[in-house]
Structures are given as C-alpha cells and as structure tokens.
Amino acid sequence: MAEGDYAARTRIILDGWACRWKGLPNGQRQITELLLPGDICHAHSGMLLRSDHSIATLSTCIIAEADPTELTALLKQRPMVRQALRWSSLQTNSILRTALVNNGLRQADQRLAHFICEIWARLQSVGLAKDGAFSWPLTQIDVGEIASMTSVHVNRTLGKLRRDGLITLHKRRMSLPDMARLAESCDFRPDYLHLKAELGSSDP
Amino acid sequence: MAEGDYAARTRIILDGWACRWKGLPNGQRQITELLLPGDICHAHSGMLLRSDHSIATLSTCIIAEADPTELTALLKQRPMVRQALRWSSLQTNSILRTALVNNGLRQADQRLAHFICEIWARLQSVGLAKDGAFSWPLTQIDVGEIASMTSVHVNRTLGKLRRDGLITLHKRRMSLPDMARLAESCDFRPDYLHLKAELGSSDP
DNA sequence: CGTATGTTTGAGGACTTTCAACATTAGTGG
DNA sequence: CCACTAATGTTGAAAGTCCTCAAACATACG
C-alpha cells in the first residue's frame, strides 16, 4: 500500500514481518512501526481517510484479509472484538510514543538494545520467541530506518552489543543470552506494550 | 496526570497548551505530543489501561471535563461523536508518525521549521492563528524536549531561522513573515493532519 | 527590586555520518 | 548443483552536527 491511497481493507499478518513507513523527498525513509505476526493492518474502515504513510513487507508474509461487510457486522455483534480493535489502536499509540522517546533520547547502543527488547517481548507474547531466540529478518539497513541511524552505525553498534555479550545474531536469527542484563542496560520496562496484565483483564 | 495512573476522565483543552511526555531514569524528558485548544485528552474511558505516560500543562490552561456516564450515553446515542473520537485517535497516530520522521530524519533547522509549521496549521484550523501570527508559550527548553535537542541548540537554530527571515519570535508571540518559504524549506505538507477535507466529509 | 527562570554566546569534545573499499552472503540462471 | 551477480555486512579515516560545560545577560514573577 502506498502513501495517498485510500485506506484499504483490514488485514492481519499471519506470518512474516511488515512495516509502516514514510519517506522524504531526498530519499530518506523512516520506518515508524513494525507489523509482526498477529498485528492488525488497517482498522480505518469507514473513515475514508487518505493514508499518510506506506506499508511494505520486510520478509515474505502470509496475510489474511477481512471482508469489509462481514467485519462491520462482526463489530456490531461482538463488543469484545470492537474493544480489541480499540485496544490495538491504543497499543499502537503507545508504541509510537515509546519509539519517539527511544530514538530521541537514547544513544545508539541503548537505542538498539531497547528496540531488540521490544521485538522480543512482542514475539514472546505470540509464542514466537523460545528461550530468548527468534527469527530476525531485518537487514541492517532496515534497522537503520527504524532507529534513525545509518546502516554503518547500526553495524558498529550491533558489533558492540555482540562484544558485550548481550546479543548473538547469525543467519537471520537473534538470540539473547542474558535477557536481564540486556533489559537493564537500556531500562526496558514492557509496561507500555500493555501485554500480559491487560489481556487478562479483558478476558471477562 | 502521571505515568502509571489509571486513565482518568476524558478532558478537552479549551484554552492554553499542554503536552504528553515520557521521562528516562536519568532525568531526560521527551514531549511526545502537544495538546492545543480543542484537543481531546483521554479517550481511553472504559479500557482500564495504566497510562504509560504523563500529561502536563505548558501554560495556564482552561480544561473541560466530561462526565464519564454522560459521555458513555452520548457515545451510544450519537454515532458522529463516536466517529469524531475515532478520528481524533487516528489523527494522533498520524501526528506521532510524522514526529518520528521529523525528529529522526531532518536536522535541526528543518526540524524546527516543520514543527512550527505544524503548530501553525493546527492553530489555524481552530482560528487561533491570524495572518501567520500566534501565541507561543513554549520555552526553548520545551521545544528541545519536543524536537529531541538541547535548549542550547534550539536557541542557535531559532537564531538561524530568524536570520533567514523565516520566523519572528518575540515576547511569546510567533509570526511567520513568509509562510510559503518556511513550508518549502522543510517540505511541510499538511496532509497528515487530515484537517480541512476530512472535516468536510464528516459533516453530513 | 531581588530572585528565579529563561535566553544568548563561546569553546571543546562526543557521537554520528559520509565516503570508500572490501568481504561475505543470498539469489538467480545455467 | 555450481557459477555468477546483486545485495548485505564489515572496516577505516575524515568531516559534521550536535552536545556539554560554563558564564553572562535578559526577562518574568513575587
């Protein structure tokens, strides 16, 4: 989907990684959010807003598409589904705010560490991270466009995290030997993801 | 309102400027959004989420508070109000994404220029900017916490914009002598605010 | 009118970028 | 299955942007 398009159907990522991004006339790009398996793509249905950003896949993906009329019906009948969509929008909001803090305040090493922690937590919550290890399809260029730094500096910074024994990254696979130390190094506190506790409270 | 609080009542800013912000243990702060007159404060009602950020005023403010039960009733009866709230949430989203691009990709002068343009556009849309001039209650420290830079660098950068004849800032009043050149200097395109066109389409 | 808050300016240093070259990996077609 | 080409990763040196520290100045508030 490209910037300026009218919001398309609601989609859900079943497998693979995608992202939302915005570009500048000079060619620079900024990835604003990662879309991981289980994430909802557009919940704009019915608002007829022009999208202000683009969406792209970062790996091969399997994506489910919701039929608009059925979705509307579902939303009328099932308040919990409506609530889930609203929850998703608030979580997105919260993740965006945290990204702003992360990219704005922390410097390279802590910034990447925090980003890695977030991915870990999100994948963990959908069962895709076992023993602190998970698939990592991102190139260093991708990471640069997420963390607002050049791929060269991403490379050097990942090297530092490696030398510090905080991460192992090989063949598109990331593993975190010492999760506690990594989280502490960048003050990662997963509250902002609203993952466990709130999922429980929305059960009844 | 402070981080960790449970989301409070829905409020609307009638006059003055406020903001949402997050802090780091070392004392650094990042302002993630400005709340201008007409903006809605929390539309989280009923979700019982812990807030992941704090809210503060940046000037003296006049704020309206909505009665939770009346608001719930209103939302049931008036689909347009519900739509307006959803629209507000999407706009917030969009503004956050643009801030991420702005702070991440542009450098100091263009970054501040773009920020100033955004404020102008938002104030303009609620009738608070006449002839490209408007109230500017922010200190340079505030601006630094918005744009992720030190107040010293904000000072030097504002000086540059002044010398370039792009802004005039005196006694808490900002005016933009050459709006077109300012907007062009930072590639400001207000689409992402979804201001005019969409307000029209939600009229019927 | 004094004190706290905010602005302005200088010099030096730190982090990050840029440019460039080279090594490695992944993808494609024979 | 291998060979070849494009994409990605890695490393060095130099330059820039921005930050830190510090002090002087202006402004706002009680």
Side-chain angles (χ1 to χ4, degrees), chain A residues 20 25 30 32-33 45 47 49-50 52-53 86 89 92-94 96-97 104-105 148 187 194 198, chain B residues 20 25 30 32-33 45 47 49-50 52-53 86 89 92-94 96-97 100 104-105 148 187 194 198:
Chain A
R20 299 181 196 266
Q30 171 77 42
T32 59
E33 301 157 72
S45 53
M47 301 233 67
L49 293 184
R50 264 173 179 287
D52 57 300
H53 61 273
R86 235 173 69 198
S89 169
T92 294
N93 240 292
S94 186
L96 281 171
R97 270 193 276 270
L105 259 36
S148 302
D187 186 51
H194 302 297
E198 283 69 16
Chain B
R20 298 180 196 266
Q30 171 76 40
T32 60
E33 301 156 72
S45 54
M47 301 234 63
L49 294 183
R50 265 174 179 285
D52 57 299
H53 60 271
R86 235 174 68 199
S89 170
T92 294
N93 243 291
S94 187
L96 282 171
R97 270 193 277 270
L100 212 43
L105 259 36
S148 301
D187 185 51
H194 303 294
E198 282 70 17

Side-chain angles (χ1 to χ4, degrees), chain A residues 79-136:
Chain A
M80 286 316 294
V81 175
R82 210 168 56 228
Q83 175 119 336
L85 278 185
R86 235 173 69 198
W87 176 86
S88 161
S89 169
L90 290 180
Q91 191 206 30
T92 294
N93 240 292
S94 186
I95 290 177
L96 281 171
R97 270 193 276 270
T98 305
L100 211 43
V101 172
N102 198 35
N103 290 359
L105 259 36
R106 285 190 253 262
Q107 46 199 48
D109 44 3
Q110 297 191 15
R111 192 187 306 175
L112 288 193
H114 192 280
F115 168 64
I116 293 167
C117 284
E118 175 178 315
I119 299 304
W120 168 78
R122 288 172 61 185
L123 290 178
Q124 170 93 338
S125 83
V126 290
L128 291 175
K130 328 227 180 239
D131 297 326
F134 45 90
S135 161
W136 185 269

